[in-house]
């Protein structure tokens, strides 16, 4: 590193594992690794405790996203594909991480996603391999079945309210030939239906509630919050600990067995870069001593870009008018207080539609999040007119972005450049997705509600160029950054970790979070991240026995 870092005091305690990040992956890792009372686990979290009401009432995402109490408030660089716009890039700043502020949607993706990982040479990551891990995690309202599990820490339930307008959008999808699905999570999610959610009786069920808190009374598990991790300790090619700041004091925690990064596609990448691991030209430019040149670290960023089309509707209730009514807000609060039902239990999106942007697609490649509300952006008030939002995202984008350090200061924000709509394929899917949205809104099932296009707007023509530009104008992240420390075989020049999540070139170091996905899954990414942590913990314990 450049400069002279203050001498760190050794943190008291003898730890087998130091886990960095108490988001979805870190909570599960801490639970699984500390289940053996002989193994001492230290969990370091940069955010704070989840002692705020809006972490627990589902509709709290409206107040948590864009709030520095709960969100790291990252922003992207100005994106050429978005016509020069920069986007807010929310990440959870609390135990439970993004599972404390996200959409709560339980979505595994498609079996073909994982079979593709296996075809890339990643043994143990095909659909048949990952399904047992998904099932072990779950406490599903459908109970124990061939697809789902019961008794796990990850509670999954049906939504606790319905909307006439969303039922009508589902009917419109059926009129387009899209089948209705009772369960998106059996391997093929093509169809429409209501999302299952990570809730328990009307309360958000984060990874902290499901996995971390039940384990905190274990004497062999130690949690530290509001910790700013700087870099790893690396001695003779082996990770031996972590340097961090706590209450303005520099500390070092040592790990006898392994250091495990679970800080996400942004956090894990930053820590590794500050530790001298990454593309040598990026690190050298900041004066960082290069410990290991790994060209893929910080590259391969993938995210789901959504086109947030908004349609005014007539003669039907949406959340917009209830939000702006003092009486309506009172009724919502009373319904939640008495029955744990109603709009306060809402996930951001209730109705999902998975379909194909054009007939040439082999499987569903776009996902709609249909919402009975509209707003300019998260953190802003809802519109005053009745409206719905039909957000369509490209499930398997071909554009690739980067995450890199802005400076060596641990508290500095990273340079996030998702590179949206950089490829002709992505621009075509974006244009076609708007066409599918318009077709959906013109179905007979919606005629009596007279949908009126507000965004991108009727002035936008139907040619590819106009629609691709419109996608750049209304496109925004759906908060699914993955891939910056991708799994790959030893011959893959961009691979960062192997199929057992061990970092190539450094011993006793793993990355276990969304950053290891070689390609993004076809749907919301929180549940796949949980599965990666479940499998990663099992691998760590298996390898410990092998070397025991």
């Amino acid at each position: 590193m450049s400069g002279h870092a203050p001498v760190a005091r050794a943190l008291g305690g003898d730890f087998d594992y130091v886990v960095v990040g108490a988001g979805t992956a870190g909570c599960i890792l801490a639970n699984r690794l500390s289940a053996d009372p002989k193994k001492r686990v230290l969990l370091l979290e940069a955010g704070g405790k989840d002692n705020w009401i809006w972490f627990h009432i589902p509709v709290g995402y409206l107040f948590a996203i864009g709030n520095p109490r709960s969100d790291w408030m990252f922003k992207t660089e100005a994106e050429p594909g978005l016509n020069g716009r920069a986007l807010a890039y929310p990440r959870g700043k609390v135990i439970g991480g993004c599972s404390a502020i996200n959409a709560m949607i339980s979505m595994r993706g498609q079996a073909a996603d994982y079979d593709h990982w296996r075809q890339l040479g990643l043994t143990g990551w095909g659909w048949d391999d990952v399904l047992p891990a998904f099932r072990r995690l779950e406490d599903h309202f459908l109970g124990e079945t061939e697809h789902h599990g019961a008794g796990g820490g990850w509670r999954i339930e049906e939504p606790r309210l319905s909307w006439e307008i969303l039922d009508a959008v589902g009917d419109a999808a059926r009129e387009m030939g899209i089948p209705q699905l009772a369960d998106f999570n059996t391997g093929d999610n093509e169809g429409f239906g209501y999302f299952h959610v990570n809730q328990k009786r009307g309360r958000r069920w984060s990874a902290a509630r499901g996995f971390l808190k039940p384990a905190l009374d274990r004497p062999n598990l130690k949690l530290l919050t509001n910790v700013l991790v700087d870099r790893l300790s690396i001695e003779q090619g082996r990770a031996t600990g972590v340097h961090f700041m706590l209450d303005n004091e520099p500390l070092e925690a040592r790990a006898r067995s392994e250091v495990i990064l679970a800080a996400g596609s942004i956090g894990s990448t930053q820590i590794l870069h500050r530790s001298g691991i990454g593309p040598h030209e990026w690190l050298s430019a900041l004066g960082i001593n290069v410990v290991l040149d790994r060209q893929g670290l910080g590259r391969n960023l993938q995210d789901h870009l959504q086109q947030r089309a908004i349609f005014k509707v007539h003669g039907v209730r949406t959340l917009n008018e209830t939000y702006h009514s003092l009486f309506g807000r009172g009724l919502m609060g009373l319904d939640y207080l008495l029955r744990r039902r109603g709009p306060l239990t809402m996930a951001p999106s209730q109705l999902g539609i998975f379909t194909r942007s054009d007939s040439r697609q082999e499987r569903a490649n776009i996902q709609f999040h249909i919402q009975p509300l509209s707003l300019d952006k998260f953190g802003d008030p809802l519109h005053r007119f009745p409206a719905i939002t039909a957000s369509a995202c490209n499930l398997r984008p071909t554009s690739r972005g980067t995450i890199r350090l802005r400076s060596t200061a641990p508290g500095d924000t990273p340079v996030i450049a998702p590179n949206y709509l950089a490829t002709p394929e992505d621009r075509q899917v974006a244009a076609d997705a708007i066409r599918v949205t318009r077709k959906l809104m013109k179905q007979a099932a919606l005629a009596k509600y007279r949908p009126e296009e507000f965004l991108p707007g009727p002035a936008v023509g139907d040619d590819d160029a106009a629609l691709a530009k419109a996608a750049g104008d209304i496109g925004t992240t759906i908060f699914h950054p993955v891939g910056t420390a991708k799994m790959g075989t030893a011959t893959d020049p961009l691979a960062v970790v192997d199929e057992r999540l061990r970092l190539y070139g450094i011993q006793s170091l793993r990355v276990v979070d969304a950053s290891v996905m070689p390609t993004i899954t076809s749907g919301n990414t929180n549940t796949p991240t949980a599965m990666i942590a479940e499998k990663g913990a099992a691998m760590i314990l298996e390898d410990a026995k092998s070397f025991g």
Side-chain angles (χ1 to χ4, degrees), residues 92-120:
K93 186 181 179 182
V94 61
I95 59 170
C98 290
S99 74
I101 68 170
N102 71 359
M104 296 165 282
I105 292 171
S106 175
M107 183 63 59
R108 296 171 178 174
Q110 299 168 5
D113 299 331
Y114 303 98
D115 289 341
H116 174 61
W117 293 4
R118 182 175 58 201
Q119 290 157 10
L120 292 174

Side-chain angles (χ1 to χ4, degrees), residues 54 162 349 409:
W54 293 120
S162 61
S349 305

Side-chain angles (χ1 to χ4, degrees), residues 42 80 179 186 198 217 241 284 290-291 337 339 386 404 407 438 533:
L42 174 65
T186 62
N198 293 120
D217 61 351
S284 297
V290 179
V291 174
L337 183 65
R339 302 193 306 146
R404 55 194 297 183
S407 74
R438 288 174 165 176

Side-chain angles (χ1 to χ4, degrees), residues 453-481:
E453 185 173 328
F454 178 71
L455 282 179
V460 175
D462 193 55
D463 60 284
D464 286 350
L467 290 175
K469 181 183 182 302
D473 288 335
I474 67 172
T476 188
T477 176
I478 206 163
F479 321 134
H480 297 163

Side-chain angles (χ1 to χ4, degrees), residues 65 88-91 98 303-304 306 378 476-481 525:
I65 292 175
Y89 217 63
R91 297 282 89 193
C98 290
D303 189 13
H304 290 138
Q306 59 176 338
F378 285 107
T476 188
T477 176
I478 206 163
F479 321 134
H480 297 163
T525 54

Side-chain angles (χ1 to χ4, degrees), residues 74 89-91 98 264-267 300-304 403 416 418 420 477-484 513-517 520 525-526 529:
F74 294 141
Y89 217 63
R91 297 282 89 193
C98 290
S265 292
I266 298 174
N300 193 50
L301 173 63
Q302 298 158 60
D303 189 13
H304 290 138
I403 291 175
I416 303 171
Y420 296 120
T477 176
I478 206 163
F479 321 134
H480 297 163
V482 308
T484 51
D513 57 32
S515 67
V516 306
M517 294 188 195
I520 197 166
T525 54
N526 191 234
T529 301

Side-chain angles (χ1 to χ4, degrees), residues 35-57:
D36 180 351
K38 297 178 183 177
K39 300 294 185 183
R40 289 183 51 80
V41 179
L42 174 65
L43 179 62
L44 302 175
E45 167 56 34
K49 302 288 181 61
D50 60 350
N51 53 358
W52 185 38
I53 190 172
W54 293 120
F55 288 134
H56 305 292
I57 297 178

